[in-house]
Amino acid sequence: MSPAPAVILDAPQMGENIGAAARVMANFGLEDLRLVNPRDGWPQERAWASASGAHWPLNAARVHRSVAEAIGDLRLVFAATARPRELSLPVLTPRQAAAEFARAAAAGIATGLLFGGERAGLETADIALCQAVVTIPIDPRFRSLNLAQAVAINAYEWRLTQHETAPPAFREGPPPASREALMGLYEHLERELHAGGFFHPPEKTASMVQNLRAALGRAAFTDQEVRTLRGVVTALARGRGKVLEKLARREKGDQA
């Protein structure tokens, strides 16, 4: 896995949202957290509280006096902002930015993503230190995103460059049922369908059976699921028998 981008928070306006940002960093495997002039000093107890156990980005966080100092060792830095500025910089989506970061990381280039406060964002002078602007393509009718949401979207896109597939199953499920068990289900169901008059006209029985077996086979039932379905078929058959018995008693009573 390539080295993840550093997350730089221009923090004079930030309080507990530092902890929220650290939490989503931990969700997606980002660990390098850099803080510029935290509003309430550092460390802050409420940052750890709002991180909900994602303590490692906070424990390793470095504090800097300026954005220029915070990004001094990085060679590729993008500024995350939704506010248009007078600067002429490339504008990327988080997905495009993540792809650029991945290519840079593969070449051994240290990268970072700069975020500002939720109210005022980033200063133009700080954006000018970056090589591109990253903007999330949200609906223009409602542009409000908090810091943690913005970090999460960008971190998620980075994560996809490293892990393209969904994670493995949380636990291994039971294997598919044996062919013998499946045949027992098929024959059981077909007997009851014959009894219920499902296969009509008779000359189409073979094709209808074939279609049923193909549909059931695609489900890859486990042994337990086969047993459950056979129980369902049995219950339906018994229920049909009780209904027929009730109708017979009623008809006998009418005749009497």
Side-chain angles (χ1 to χ4, degrees):
M1 183 171 175
S2 302
V7 173
I8 306 102
L9 304 183
D10 191 18
Q13 306 168 45
M14 297 181 187
E16 62 274 4
N17 43 11
I18 294 176
R23 184 172 65 245
V24 296
M25 287 176 62
N27 286 147
F28 298 108
L30 281 67
E31 300 183 5
D32 186 355
L33 175 60
R34 307 179 185 198
L35 306 175
V36 179
N37 292 324
R39 182 185 68 191
D40 302 318
W42 193 259
Q44 300 173 14
E45 183 176 342
R46 60 181 176 171
W48 270 261
S50 58
S52 303
H55 52 80
W56 53 97
L58 297 174
N59 292 342
R62 288 175 281 177
V63 177
H64 300 272
R65 293 170 295 179
S66 67
V67 169
E69 179 183 295
I71 66 174
D73 63 325
L74 305 177
R75 294 174 56 191
L76 183 67
V77 183
F78 297 157
T81 180
R83 295 175 175 85
R85 307 287 181 173
E86 60 270 21
L87 298 172
S88 180
L89 289 173
V91 179
L92 309 175
T93 65
R95 184 163 300 177
Q96 292 169 327
E100 291 292 330
F101 285 145
R103 283 190 285 269
I109 296 172
T111 64
L113 189 57
L114 173 64
F115 294 88
E118 293 172 2
R119 293 184 181 179
L122 293 168
E123 297 291 337
T124 302
D126 293 326
I127 298 174
L129 300 174
C130 303
Q131 286 75 57
V133 165
V134 180
T135 295
I136 298 168
I138 58 177
D139 193 312
R141 295 173 296 177
F142 192 73
R143 295 181 174 275
S144 177
L145 281 178
N146 65 37
L147 175 65
Q149 290 170 328
V151 174
I153 291 170
N154 282 276
Y156 169 75
E157 293 294 346
W158 159 259
R159 187 74 172 179
L160 284 184
T161 68
Q162 307 299 301
H163 301 273
E164 294 182 352
T165 58
F170 296 117
R171 62 183 178 86
E172 290 294 328
S178 67
R179 303 311 300 175
E180 180 181 8
L182 285 174
M183 286 303 301
L185 170 63
Y186 298 160
E187 292 168 357
H188 185 183
L189 176 61
E190 290 155 15
R191 283 196 303 272
E192 298 302 337
L193 290 175
H194 270 296
F198 176 78
F199 295 116
H200 183 81
E203 60 269 19
K204 291 189 176 181
T205 297
S207 63
M208 295 171 76
V209 166
Q210 179 178 316
N211 290 339
L212 279 171
R213 291 187 178 189
L216 292 170
R218 285 195 296 271
F221 294 126
T222 65
D223 280 320
Q224 178 59 58
E225 290 167 340
V226 166
R227 289 192 292 271
T228 299
L229 287 171
R230 294 197 66 170
V232 168
V233 173
T234 297
L236 289 173
R238 288 176 178 170
R240 182 181 67 241
K242 290 178 181 178
V243 169
L244 292 174
E245 182 182 351
K246 185 183 296 184
L247 290 173
R249 286 199 304 267
R250 183 181 301 170
E251 182 178 348
K252 185 177 182 180
D254 291 342
Q255 291 173 354

XYZ file of all heavy atoms in Angstrom, residues 58-122:
471
model
N -4.299 11.467 16.269
C -4.144 12.564 17.237
C -2.849 12.419 18.018
O -2.148 13.412 18.267
C -5.340 12.585 18.195
C -6.702 12.852 17.566
C -7.799 12.701 18.606
C -6.748 14.246 16.945
N -2.518 11.197 18.420
C -1.289 10.984 19.189
C -0.050 11.402 18.396
O 0.935 11.883 18.969
C -1.156 9.512 19.585
C -2.200 9.089 20.603
O -2.813 9.932 21.265
N -2.404 7.787 20.752
N -0.113 11.195 17.088
C 1.050 11.506 16.238
C 0.960 12.878 15.582
O 1.846 13.246 14.802
C 1.192 10.435 15.162
N -0.092 13.636 15.880
C -0.286 14.931 15.213
C 0.865 15.882 15.511
O 1.380 15.940 16.635
C -1.610 15.548 15.665
N 1.245 16.646 14.503
C 2.302 17.657 14.649
C 1.701 19.045 14.501
O 0.831 19.258 13.646
C 3.384 17.427 13.599
C 4.242 16.195 13.871
C 5.231 15.944 12.740
N 4.577 15.299 11.586
C 5.207 15.035 10.451
N 6.473 15.381 10.287
N 4.558 14.427 9.465
N 2.145 19.959 15.324
C 1.630 21.327 15.323
C 2.634 22.247 14.642
O 3.841 22.169 14.890
C 1.344 21.810 16.760
C 0.875 23.252 16.759
C 0.309 20.900 17.423
N 2.139 23.141 13.776
C 2.989 24.053 13.021
C 2.478 25.483 13.169
O 1.304 25.718 13.426
C 3.017 23.651 11.545
C 3.533 22.266 11.305
N 4.875 21.991 11.138
C 2.882 21.074 11.215
C 5.032 20.687 10.945
N 3.834 20.111 10.985
N 3.371 26.413 12.963
C 3.011 27.824 13.098
C 2.364 28.393 11.850
O 1.689 29.419 11.916
C 4.266 28.643 13.454
C 4.827 28.335 14.835
C 6.181 28.984 15.022
N 7.178 28.415 14.102
C 8.445 28.801 14.036
N 8.870 29.788 14.815
N 9.271 28.236 13.194
N 2.588 27.760 10.713
C 2.041 28.276 9.454
C 1.794 27.128 8.493
O 2.358 26.029 8.653
C 3.012 29.272 8.820
O 4.200 28.601 8.400
N 0.957 27.391 7.483
C 0.728 26.390 6.447
C 2.028 26.087 5.720
O 2.345 24.933 5.432
C -0.363 26.869 5.467
C -0.426 25.954 4.238
C -1.714 26.930 6.157
N 2.817 27.121 5.437
C 4.088 26.925 4.730
C 4.998 25.968 5.498
O 5.649 25.098 4.903
C 4.775 28.269 4.518
N 5.018 26.098 6.809
C 5.840 25.201 7.626
C 5.272 23.787 7.616
O 6.018 22.803 7.521
C 5.896 25.727 9.057
C 6.701 24.854 10.014
C 6.656 25.383 11.436
O 7.192 26.503 11.660
O 6.084 24.709 12.311
N 3.948 23.674 7.689
C 3.308 22.359 7.758
C 3.527 21.537 6.503
O 3.582 20.308 6.553
C 1.814 22.522 8.022
N 3.649 22.188 5.355
C 3.784 21.452 4.094
C 5.217 21.479 3.569
O 5.474 21.066 2.443
C 2.825 22.015 3.026
C 3.231 23.448 2.642
C 1.383 21.961 3.507
C 2.401 24.010 1.484
N 6.134 21.939 4.408
C 7.507 22.157 3.941
C 8.181 20.932 3.371
O 9.011 21.042 2.462
N 7.864 19.734 3.879
C 8.527 18.519 3.400
C 7.718 17.799 2.320
O 8.099 16.713 1.873
C 8.772 17.563 4.565
C 7.467 17.103 5.201
O 6.522 17.903 5.257
O 7.406 15.939 5.657
N 6.600 18.377 1.907
C 5.738 17.745 0.905
C 6.009 18.323 -0.474
O 6.300 19.505 -0.617
C 4.262 17.954 1.262
C 3.839 17.480 2.657
C 2.382 17.818 2.916
C 4.087 15.977 2.829
N 5.890 17.492 -1.481
C 6.169 17.940 -2.838
C 4.916 18.116 -3.690
O 4.969 18.721 -4.757
C 7.119 16.950 -3.514
C 8.512 16.935 -2.860
C 9.395 15.850 -3.431
N 9.535 15.942 -4.880
C 10.078 14.992 -5.637
N 10.517 13.871 -5.073
N 10.166 15.153 -6.949
N 3.799 17.584 -3.228
C 2.545 17.741 -3.950
C 1.436 17.968 -2.928
O 1.125 17.088 -2.132
C 2.233 16.495 -4.787
C 0.970 16.574 -5.647
C 1.132 17.609 -6.761
C 0.625 15.205 -6.244
N 0.853 19.172 -2.952
C -0.181 19.528 -1.985
C -1.368 20.131 -2.722
O -1.199 21.001 -3.583
C 0.352 20.540 -0.943
C -0.736 20.844 0.095
C 1.599 20.006 -0.255
N -2.554 19.652 -2.395
C -3.784 20.199 -2.949
C -4.580 20.876 -1.842
O -4.546 20.446 -0.688
C -4.645 19.104 -3.583
C -4.005 18.406 -4.763
C -4.407 17.134 -5.126
C -3.007 19.023 -5.502
C -3.834 16.489 -6.208
C -2.420 18.395 -6.581
C -2.834 17.115 -6.937
N -5.311 21.916 -2.201
C -6.141 22.650 -1.247
C -7.604 22.264 -1.446
O -8.130 22.370 -2.556
C -5.972 24.151 -1.435
N -8.249 21.819 -0.379
C -9.663 21.452 -0.451
C -10.511 22.677 -0.134
O -10.473 23.197 0.979
C -9.966 20.335 0.544
N -11.247 23.163 -1.122
C -12.077 24.339 -0.916
C -13.208 24.358 -1.932
O -13.050 23.877 -3.056
C -11.266 25.640 -1.020
O -12.124 26.759 -0.814
C -10.585 25.759 -2.362
N -14.349 24.916 -1.521
C -15.475 25.081 -2.437
C -15.637 26.529 -2.855
O -16.532 26.858 -3.628
C -16.758 24.595 -1.765
N -14.774 27.406 -2.342
C -14.929 28.841 -2.609
C -14.036 29.260 -3.777
O -12.833 29.023 -3.749
C -14.567 29.655 -1.361
C -15.526 29.405 -0.208
C -15.076 30.140 1.046
N -16.062 30.005 2.116
C -16.125 28.981 2.949
N -15.269 27.990 2.818
N -17.041 28.943 3.886
N -14.594 29.864 -4.781
C -13.767 30.314 -5.909
C -12.806 31.419 -5.477
O -13.141 32.274 -4.674
C -14.794 30.836 -6.921
C -15.990 31.182 -6.093
C -16.018 30.220 -4.950
N -11.605 31.345 -5.994
C -10.591 32.365 -5.690
C -10.064 32.925 -7.000
O -10.323 32.396 -8.086
C -9.436 31.746 -4.880
C -9.882 30.995 -3.627
C -10.339 31.923 -2.517
N -10.734 31.177 -1.330
C -11.046 31.731 -0.173
N -11.033 33.041 -0.040
N -11.412 30.992 0.856
N -9.289 33.996 -6.859
C -8.750 34.609 -8.062
C -7.541 33.872 -8.626
O -7.025 34.219 -9.688
C -8.371 36.074 -7.787
C -7.318 36.258 -6.707
C -7.898 36.399 -5.308
O -9.047 35.975 -5.082
O -7.187 36.924 -4.437
N -7.099 32.829 -7.933
C -5.941 32.077 -8.401
C -6.300 31.197 -9.591
O -7.408 30.667 -9.682
C -5.409 31.194 -7.267
C -4.914 31.936 -6.018
C -4.606 30.951 -4.919
C -3.678 32.761 -6.350
N -5.352 31.040 -10.484
C -5.551 30.170 -11.639
C -4.853 28.841 -11.369
O -3.667 28.661 -11.677
C -4.979 30.834 -12.901
O -5.160 30.008 -14.020
N -5.595 27.908 -10.764
C -5.059 26.592 -10.433
C -5.968 25.519 -11.024
O -7.173 25.738 -11.195
C -4.992 26.403 -8.912
C -3.938 27.195 -8.140
C -4.140 27.009 -6.638
C -2.535 26.760 -8.544
N -5.417 24.363 -11.326
C -6.291 23.263 -11.765
C -7.316 22.945 -10.684
O -7.020 23.007 -9.488
C -5.313 22.096 -11.961
C -3.971 22.732 -12.118
C -3.995 23.984 -11.294
N -8.520 22.598 -11.099
C -9.579 22.233 -10.167
C -9.908 20.759 -10.382
O -10.267 20.338 -11.487
C -10.841 23.098 -10.375
C -11.940 22.676 -9.410
C -10.500 24.574 -10.182
N -9.795 19.978 -9.316
C -9.970 18.532 -9.387
C -11.118 18.085 -8.488
O -11.425 18.728 -7.485
C -8.690 17.811 -8.933
C -7.378 18.236 -9.576
C -6.219 17.501 -8.908
C -7.397 17.959 -11.071
N -11.725 16.970 -8.844
C -12.642 16.307 -7.923
C -11.808 15.471 -6.943
O -10.624 15.193 -7.202
C -13.600 15.371 -8.665
O -12.838 14.312 -9.259
C -14.386 16.113 -9.734
N -12.381 15.035 -5.837
C -11.632 14.151 -4.926
C -11.123 12.893 -5.615
O -10.030 12.418 -5.301
C -12.659 13.832 -3.834
C -13.521 15.049 -3.780
C -13.668 15.476 -5.213
N -11.882 12.355 -6.556
C -11.429 11.150 -7.251
C -10.210 11.444 -8.119
O -9.251 10.658 -8.158
C -12.574 10.590 -8.097
C -12.238 9.279 -8.795
C -13.496 8.567 -9.251
N -14.347 8.270 -8.089
C -15.543 7.693 -8.177
N -16.046 7.374 -9.362
N -16.249 7.454 -7.086
N -10.247 12.554 -8.822
C -9.088 12.928 -9.641
C -7.873 13.215 -8.766
O -6.745 12.818 -9.092
C -9.436 14.148 -10.489
C -10.471 13.869 -11.565
C -10.999 15.147 -12.207
O -11.104 16.186 -11.548
N -11.339 15.074 -13.491
N -8.104 13.891 -7.658
C -7.000 14.195 -6.744
C -6.398 12.919 -6.174
O -5.172 12.782 -6.076
C -7.497 15.092 -5.611
N -7.255 11.978 -5.811
C -6.761 10.718 -5.256
C -5.896 9.971 -6.266
O -4.869 9.384 -5.907
C -7.938 9.852 -4.816
N -6.301 10.004 -7.526
C -5.496 9.350 -8.562
C -4.132 10.025 -8.701
O -3.102 9.352 -8.869
C -6.252 9.376 -9.896
N -4.112 11.355 -8.625
C -2.836 12.073 -8.686
C -1.959 11.727 -7.482
O -0.752 11.509 -7.607
C -3.093 13.579 -8.724
C -3.737 14.081 -10.005
C -2.802 13.970 -11.203
O -1.567 14.070 -11.012
O -3.301 13.781 -12.329
N -2.567 11.668 -6.302
C -1.816 11.306 -5.105
C -1.243 9.889 -5.217
O -0.113 9.630 -4.810
C -2.706 11.391 -3.866
C -2.990 12.796 -3.400
C -4.215 13.125 -2.843
C -2.027 13.790 -3.482
C -4.481 14.415 -2.393
C -2.276 15.078 -3.055
C -3.502 15.390 -2.500
N -2.044 8.980 -5.754
C -1.581 7.596 -5.882
C -0.392 7.499 -6.824
O 0.583 6.782 -6.550
C -2.733 6.705 -6.369
N -0.466 8.217 -7.943
C 0.672 8.205 -8.875
C 1.916 8.805 -8.230
O 3.020 8.282 -8.391
C 0.305 8.965 -10.154
C -0.593 8.192 -11.101
C -0.713 8.883 -12.442
N -1.582 10.055 -12.357
C -2.891 10.024 -12.571
N -3.478 8.885 -12.865
N -3.612 11.119 -12.488
N 1.725 9.892 -7.504
C 2.866 10.525 -6.851
C 3.464 9.619 -5.783
O 4.689 9.482 -5.669
C 2.431 11.863 -6.242
N 2.596 9.004 -4.979
C 3.089 8.129 -3.914
C 3.867 6.954 -4.480
O 4.879 6.530 -3.925
C 1.917 7.643 -3.071
N 3.390 6.416 -5.622
C 4.094 5.305 -6.257
C 5.489 5.707 -6.710
O 6.398 4.870 -6.799
C 3.281 4.779 -7.435
N 5.669 6.991 -6.982
C 6.978 7.503 -7.400
C 7.797 8.005 -6.209
O 8.857 8.605 -6.407
C 6.792 8.628 -8.413
N 7.307 7.795 -4.998
C 8.051 8.210 -3.808
C 7.896 9.679 -3.467
O 8.720 10.233 -2.725
N 6.862 10.330 -3.973
C 6.640 11.754 -3.735
C 5.669 11.924 -2.570
O 4.572 11.351 -2.564
C 6.079 12.435 -4.997
C 7.113 12.368 -6.123
C 5.661 13.867 -4.721
C 6.600 12.846 -7.469
N 6.080 12.705 -1.576
C 5.233 12.948 -0.412
C 4.116 13.926 -0.769
O 4.353 14.952 -1.420
C 6.072 13.500 0.739
N 2.886 13.611 -0.346
C 1.717 14.399 -0.734
C 0.932 14.849 0.494
O 1.103 14.320 1.588
C 0.794 13.575 -1.652
O 0.285 12.449 -0.917
C 1.540 13.075 -2.874
N 0.044 15.817 0.272
C -0.792 16.289 1.360
C -2.024 17.002 0.851
O -2.067 17.484 -0.290
N -3.053 17.044 1.704
C -4.310 17.702 1.379
C -4.616 18.701 2.488
O -4.685 18.344 3.664
C -5.427 16.673 1.260
C -6.772 17.138 0.713
C -6.618 17.761 -0.670
C -7.744 15.962 0.638
N -4.794 19.956 2.087
C -4.966 21.061 3.026
C -6.443 21.421 3.165
O -7.124 21.650 2.175
C -4.169 22.274 2.528
C -4.341 23.589 3.282
C -3.827 23.477 4.722
C -3.603 24.710 2.538
N -6.913 21.493 4.417
C -8.294 21.865 4.712
C -8.312 23.111 5.590
O -7.470 23.271 6.481
C -9.021 20.747 5.463
C -9.227 19.493 4.679
C -8.250 18.502 4.669
C -10.384 19.289 3.957
C -8.429 17.335 3.955
C -10.573 18.123 3.229
C -9.596 17.143 3.223
N -9.319 23.946 5.360
C -9.512 25.115 6.201
C -10.684 24.937 7.137
O -11.324 23.877 7.175
N -10.988 25.960 7.909
C -12.117 25.918 8.824
C -13.441 25.938 8.089
O -13.537 26.351 6.929
N -14.496 25.507 8.767
C -15.800 25.395 8.124
C -16.415 26.761 7.801
O -17.175 26.891 6.852
C -16.747 24.596 9.030
C -16.309 23.138 9.172
C -17.123 22.398 10.217
O -18.043 23.011 10.799
O -16.829 21.210 10.471
N -16.099 27.784 8.566
C -16.733 29.082 8.357
C -16.030 29.909 7.290
O -16.650 30.423 6.374
C -16.764 29.855 9.677
C -17.682 29.231 10.721
C -17.750 30.102 11.961
N -18.613 29.517 12.980
C -18.835 30.053 14.167
N -18.261 31.203 14.508
N -19.643 29.448 15.030
N -14.732 30.039 7.411
C -14.009 30.947 6.515
C -13.197 30.233 5.450
O -12.780 30.838 4.472
C -13.095 31.861 7.337
N -12.960 28.934 5.630
C -12.166 28.204 4.651
C -10.693 28.586 4.696
O -10.162 28.956 5.734
N -10.060 28.508 3.545
C -8.626 28.775 3.435
C -8.366 30.176 2.908
O -9.115 30.705 2.092
C -7.980 27.751 2.492
C -7.957 26.305 2.973
C -7.571 25.374 1.826
C -6.993 26.140 4.148
